Amino acid sequence: MTARGTTTEHAPSAVRTPGDPGLVPRAARLAVGWAAGRAARARAELAPHRTPALVVACLAAAAAAVWSGLAWQTPAFVLLAATLGALSVVDARTHRLPDAVVLPAAVAGASLLALAALAGGEPAALGRAALGGTVLAAVYLGLALAAPGGLGLGDVKLAAPVGAHLAWLGWTPLLLGGAAAFLVGGLVALALVVAGRATRRTAIPFGPCMALGAAVGAVLGPAAALV
């Protein structure tokens, strides 16, 4: 308490600068909270499709591990394969690519590629990956804006990590994988129309097409670049 008629002077609160170590724990808590929230949302999004999504994700991850072998890039590609496998199931069933799955996977994949570049001494590959992811996402965004009702924003967001991983392998895998996705999508749409199960205006889930295109680009792209 203070006497009547007197004033109490408070010392000005300390202003934390970006270099203040006190900001680090707070930033870490925010990052952990964001990751935990995204993980909870991802579990909720995948819950109705848990079993088939898990089976496909595990098979895709195993195939990616065998294909990549013992290399610094392997964790990044295993994560991408598992993500694409799970998302393919969800997209085929719901026509949605949940942000709660796509965005954390994209951040984690970029981090793993950065670690691979540092450990393997491949800064050029990391720069190419960043540019490739940006370019493919920009192409998808342009197509989505040019033809509303075709590609969705989920496809646009997923294009960034797909493009980054393919470009890590080289420009030929990126071009081949990007083209293969649209070729697969066109063939699927044509088959459904011929079978009478779709019309020209029926929306086709494009996530599985992107996954197959990425597989084609990753497996055949490096070999095609040598021809």
PDB file of all heavy atoms in Angstrom, residues 178-200:
ATOM      1  N   GLY A 178       6.312 -33.957 -63.092  1.00  0.00           N
ATOM      2  CA  GLY A 178       5.211 -33.016 -63.260  1.00  0.00           C
ATOM      3  C   GLY A 178       4.322 -33.386 -64.431  1.00  0.00           C
ATOM      4  O   GLY A 178       3.085 -33.348 -64.328  1.00  0.00           O
ATOM      5  N   ALA A 179       4.934 -33.764 -65.543  1.00  0.00           N
ATOM      6  CA  ALA A 179       4.152 -34.151 -66.720  1.00  0.00           C
ATOM      7  C   ALA A 179       3.407 -35.459 -66.489  1.00  0.00           C
ATOM      8  O   ALA A 179       2.255 -35.620 -66.910  1.00  0.00           O
ATOM      9  CB  ALA A 179       5.078 -34.276 -67.928  1.00  0.00           C
ATOM     10  N   ALA A 180       4.053 -36.402 -65.803  1.00  0.00           N
ATOM     11  CA  ALA A 180       3.433 -37.706 -65.567  1.00  0.00           C
ATOM     12  C   ALA A 180       2.169 -37.578 -64.733  1.00  0.00           C
ATOM     13  O   ALA A 180       1.196 -38.318 -64.946  1.00  0.00           O
ATOM     14  CB  ALA A 180       4.425 -38.637 -64.876  1.00  0.00           C
ATOM     15  N   ALA A 181       2.153 -36.646 -63.786  1.00  0.00           N
ATOM     16  CA  ALA A 181       0.963 -36.465 -62.948  1.00  0.00           C
ATOM     17  C   ALA A 181      -0.245 -36.086 -63.798  1.00  0.00           C
ATOM     18  O   ALA A 181      -1.344 -36.631 -63.622  1.00  0.00           O
ATOM     19  CB  ALA A 181       1.229 -35.395 -61.891  1.00  0.00           C
ATOM     20  N   PHE A 182      -0.047 -35.168 -64.732  1.00  0.00           N
ATOM     21  CA  PHE A 182      -1.161 -34.746 -65.583  1.00  0.00           C
ATOM     22  C   PHE A 182      -1.532 -35.828 -66.593  1.00  0.00           C
ATOM     23  O   PHE A 182      -2.703 -35.974 -66.955  1.00  0.00           O
ATOM     24  CB  PHE A 182      -0.809 -33.438 -66.287  1.00  0.00           C
ATOM     25  CG  PHE A 182      -0.783 -32.264 -65.357  1.00  0.00           C
ATOM     26  CD1 PHE A 182       0.418 -31.790 -64.845  1.00  0.00           C
ATOM     27  CD2 PHE A 182      -1.960 -31.649 -64.966  1.00  0.00           C
ATOM     28  CE1 PHE A 182       0.441 -30.715 -63.969  1.00  0.00           C
ATOM     29  CE2 PHE A 182      -1.951 -30.574 -64.092  1.00  0.00           C
ATOM     30  CZ  PHE A 182      -0.751 -30.107 -63.589  1.00  0.00           C
ATOM     31  N   LEU A 183      -0.548 -36.593 -67.040  1.00  0.00           N
ATOM     32  CA  LEU A 183      -0.848 -37.701 -67.948  1.00  0.00           C
ATOM     33  C   LEU A 183      -1.691 -38.755 -67.236  1.00  0.00           C
ATOM     34  O   LEU A 183      -2.693 -39.241 -67.789  1.00  0.00           O
ATOM     35  CB  LEU A 183       0.452 -38.314 -68.459  1.00  0.00           C
ATOM     36  CG  LEU A 183       0.301 -39.538 -69.374  1.00  0.00           C
ATOM     37  CD1 LEU A 183      -0.501 -39.180 -70.624  1.00  0.00           C
ATOM     38  CD2 LEU A 183       1.673 -40.099 -69.749  1.00  0.00           C
ATOM     39  N   VAL A 184      -1.304 -39.098 -66.017  1.00  0.00           N
ATOM     40  CA  VAL A 184      -2.075 -40.070 -65.241  1.00  0.00           C
ATOM     41  C   VAL A 184      -3.478 -39.539 -64.979  1.00  0.00           C
ATOM     42  O   VAL A 184      -4.472 -40.267 -65.118  1.00  0.00           O
ATOM     43  CB  VAL A 184      -1.363 -40.387 -63.910  1.00  0.00           C
ATOM     44  CG1 VAL A 184      -2.266 -41.212 -62.996  1.00  0.00           C
ATOM     45  CG2 VAL A 184      -0.059 -41.128 -64.169  1.00  0.00           C
ATOM     46  N   GLY A 185      -3.575 -38.264 -64.617  1.00  0.00           N
ATOM     47  CA  GLY A 185      -4.885 -37.673 -64.371  1.00  0.00           C
ATOM     48  C   GLY A 185      -5.775 -37.717 -65.601  1.00  0.00           C
ATOM     49  O   GLY A 185      -6.973 -38.020 -65.506  1.00  0.00           O
ATOM     50  N   GLY A 186      -5.193 -37.426 -66.759  1.00  0.00           N
ATOM     51  CA  GLY A 186      -5.967 -37.471 -67.995  1.00  0.00           C
ATOM     52  C   GLY A 186      -6.433 -38.873 -68.332  1.00  0.00           C
ATOM     53  O   GLY A 186      -7.582 -39.076 -68.757  1.00  0.00           O
ATOM     54  N   LEU A 187      -5.555 -39.849 -68.137  1.00  0.00           N
ATOM     55  CA  LEU A 187      -5.927 -41.238 -68.431  1.00  0.00           C
ATOM     56  C   LEU A 187      -7.013 -41.736 -67.480  1.00  0.00           C
ATOM     57  O   LEU A 187      -7.940 -42.444 -67.898  1.00  0.00           O
ATOM     58  CB  LEU A 187      -4.688 -42.133 -68.332  1.00  0.00           C
ATOM     59  CG  LEU A 187      -3.620 -41.921 -69.415  1.00  0.00           C
ATOM     60  CD1 LEU A 187      -2.399 -42.792 -69.134  1.00  0.00           C
ATOM     61  CD2 LEU A 187      -4.186 -42.223 -70.804  1.00  0.00           C
ATOM     62  N   VAL A 188      -6.906 -41.367 -66.206  1.00  0.00           N
ATOM     63  CA  VAL A 188      -7.930 -41.772 -65.230  1.00  0.00           C
ATOM     64  C   VAL A 188      -9.274 -41.151 -65.585  1.00  0.00           C
ATOM     65  O   VAL A 188     -10.320 -41.823 -65.576  1.00  0.00           O
ATOM     66  CB  VAL A 188      -7.504 -41.372 -63.807  1.00  0.00           C
ATOM     67  CG1 VAL A 188      -8.660 -41.558 -62.823  1.00  0.00           C
ATOM     68  CG2 VAL A 188      -6.306 -42.198 -63.363  1.00  0.00           C
ATOM     69  N   ALA A 189      -9.261 -39.863 -65.907  1.00  0.00           N
ATOM     70  CA  ALA A 189     -10.506 -39.186 -66.269  1.00  0.00           C
ATOM     71  C   ALA A 189     -11.125 -39.811 -67.515  1.00  0.00           C
ATOM     72  O   ALA A 189     -12.344 -40.036 -67.578  1.00  0.00           O
ATOM     73  CB  ALA A 189     -10.239 -37.701 -66.498  1.00  0.00           C
ATOM     74  N   LEU A 190     -10.294 -40.110 -68.512  1.00  0.00           N
ATOM     75  CA  LEU A 190     -10.796 -40.720 -69.741  1.00  0.00           C
ATOM     76  C   LEU A 190     -11.398 -42.095 -69.464  1.00  0.00           C
ATOM     77  O   LEU A 190     -12.474 -42.436 -69.984  1.00  0.00           O
ATOM     78  CB  LEU A 190      -9.659 -40.839 -70.758  1.00  0.00           C
ATOM     79  CG  LEU A 190     -10.004 -41.496 -72.097  1.00  0.00           C
ATOM     80  CD1 LEU A 190     -11.083 -40.696 -72.820  1.00  0.00           C
ATOM     81  CD2 LEU A 190      -8.752 -41.623 -72.967  1.00  0.00           C
ATOM     82  N   ALA A 191     -10.717 -42.878 -68.637  1.00  0.00           N
ATOM     83  CA  ALA A 191     -11.225 -44.215 -68.319  1.00  0.00           C
ATOM     84  C   ALA A 191     -12.565 -44.142 -67.597  1.00  0.00           C
ATOM     85  O   ALA A 191     -13.479 -44.931 -67.875  1.00  0.00           O
ATOM     86  CB  ALA A 191     -10.202 -44.960 -67.465  1.00  0.00           C
ATOM     87  N   LEU A 192     -12.707 -43.186 -66.684  1.00  0.00           N
ATOM     88  CA  LEU A 192     -13.966 -43.045 -65.950  1.00  0.00           C
ATOM     89  C   LEU A 192     -15.097 -42.594 -66.869  1.00  0.00           C
ATOM     90  O   LEU A 192     -16.242 -43.049 -66.740  1.00  0.00           O
ATOM     91  CB  LEU A 192     -13.791 -42.050 -64.799  1.00  0.00           C
ATOM     92  CG  LEU A 192     -12.896 -42.515 -63.644  1.00  0.00           C
ATOM     93  CD1 LEU A 192     -12.712 -41.390 -62.631  1.00  0.00           C
ATOM     94  CD2 LEU A 192     -13.487 -43.747 -62.964  1.00  0.00           C
ATOM     95  N   VAL A 193     -14.784 -41.698 -67.801  1.00  0.00           N
ATOM     96  CA  VAL A 193     -15.807 -41.235 -68.739  1.00  0.00           C
ATOM     97  C   VAL A 193     -16.244 -42.378 -69.646  1.00  0.00           C
ATOM     98  O   VAL A 193     -17.445 -42.588 -69.889  1.00  0.00           O
ATOM     99  CB  VAL A 193     -15.277 -40.048 -69.568  1.00  0.00           C
ATOM    100  CG1 VAL A 193     -16.243 -39.724 -70.709  1.00  0.00           C
ATOM    101  CG2 VAL A 193     -15.086 -38.824 -68.679  1.00  0.00           C
ATOM    102  N   VAL A 194     -15.286 -43.132 -70.164  1.00  0.00           N
ATOM    103  CA  VAL A 194     -15.607 -44.258 -71.048  1.00  0.00           C
ATOM    104  C   VAL A 194     -16.434 -45.304 -70.307  1.00  0.00           C
ATOM    105  O   VAL A 194     -17.364 -45.907 -70.870  1.00  0.00           O
ATOM    106  CB  VAL A 194     -14.313 -44.883 -71.604  1.00  0.00           C
ATOM    107  CG1 VAL A 194     -14.616 -46.189 -72.333  1.00  0.00           C
ATOM    108  CG2 VAL A 194     -13.610 -43.902 -72.539  1.00  0.00           C
ATOM    109  N   ALA A 195     -16.121 -45.507 -69.024  1.00  0.00           N
ATOM    110  CA  ALA A 195     -16.851 -46.497 -68.230  1.00  0.00           C
ATOM    111  C   ALA A 195     -18.206 -45.982 -67.768  1.00  0.00           C
ATOM    112  O   ALA A 195     -18.977 -46.732 -67.161  1.00  0.00           O
ATOM    113  CB  ALA A 195     -16.019 -46.910 -67.023  1.00  0.00           C
ATOM    114  N   GLY A 196     -18.499 -44.723 -68.047  1.00  0.00           N
ATOM    115  CA  GLY A 196     -19.774 -44.152 -67.649  1.00  0.00           C
ATOM    116  C   GLY A 196     -19.863 -43.790 -66.186  1.00  0.00           C
ATOM    117  O   GLY A 196     -20.955 -43.555 -65.660  1.00  0.00           O
ATOM    118  N   ARG A 197     -18.732 -43.709 -65.513  1.00  0.00           N
ATOM    119  CA  ARG A 197     -18.722 -43.397 -64.082  1.00  0.00           C
ATOM    120  C   ARG A 197     -18.411 -41.932 -63.814  1.00  0.00           C
ATOM    121  O   ARG A 197     -18.338 -41.507 -62.663  1.00  0.00           O
ATOM    122  CB  ARG A 197     -17.705 -44.284 -63.362  1.00  0.00           C
ATOM    123  CG  ARG A 197     -17.999 -45.774 -63.488  1.00  0.00           C
ATOM    124  CD  ARG A 197     -16.995 -46.606 -62.738  1.00  0.00           C
ATOM    125  NE  ARG A 197     -16.963 -46.278 -61.314  1.00  0.00           N
ATOM    126  CZ  ARG A 197     -16.120 -46.827 -60.443  1.00  0.00           C
ATOM    127  NH1 ARG A 197     -15.245 -47.741 -60.863  1.00  0.00           N
ATOM    128  NH2 ARG A 197     -16.148 -46.490 -59.174  1.00  0.00           N
ATOM    129  N   ALA A 198     -18.209 -41.169 -64.873  1.00  0.00           N
ATOM    130  CA  ALA A 198     -17.918 -39.746 -64.715  1.00  0.00           C
ATOM    131  C   ALA A 198     -18.262 -39.029 -66.006  1.00  0.00           C
ATOM    132  O   ALA A 198     -18.433 -39.654 -67.062  1.00  0.00           O
ATOM    133  CB  ALA A 198     -16.445 -39.529 -64.361  1.00  0.00           C
ATOM    134  N   THR A 199     -18.379 -37.709 -65.908  1.00  0.00           N
ATOM    135  CA  THR A 199     -18.582 -36.876 -67.084  1.00  0.00           C
ATOM    136  C   THR A 199     -17.373 -35.961 -67.239  1.00  0.00           C
ATOM    137  O   THR A 199     -16.451 -35.986 -66.419  1.00  0.00           O
ATOM    138  CB  THR A 199     -19.858 -36.028 -66.933  1.00  0.00           C
ATOM    139  OG1 THR A 199     -19.664 -35.066 -65.877  1.00  0.00           O
ATOM    140  CG2 THR A 199     -21.055 -36.900 -66.599  1.00  0.00           C
ATOM    141  N   ARG A 200     -17.402 -35.149 -68.269  1.00  0.00           N
ATOM    142  CA  ARG A 200     -16.272 -34.251 -68.497  1.00  0.00           C
ATOM    143  C   ARG A 200     -16.135 -33.217 -67.390  1.00  0.00           C
ATOM    144  O   ARG A 200     -15.071 -32.622 -67.217  1.00  0.00           O
ATOM    145  CB  ARG A 200     -16.445 -33.551 -69.847  1.00  0.00           C
ATOM    146  CG  ARG A 200     -16.370 -34.500 -71.039  1.00  0.00           C
ATOM    147  CD  ARG A 200     -16.610 -33.759 -72.338  1.00  0.00           C
ATOM    148  NE  ARG A 200     -15.628 -32.707 -72.547  1.00  0.00           N
ATOM    149  CZ  ARG A 200     -15.662 -31.842 -73.567  1.00  0.00           C
ATOM    150  NH1 ARG A 200     -16.647 -31.919 -74.458  1.00  0.00           N
ATOM    151  NH2 ARG A 200     -14.733 -30.928 -73.695  1.00  0.00           N
TER     152      ARG A 200
END
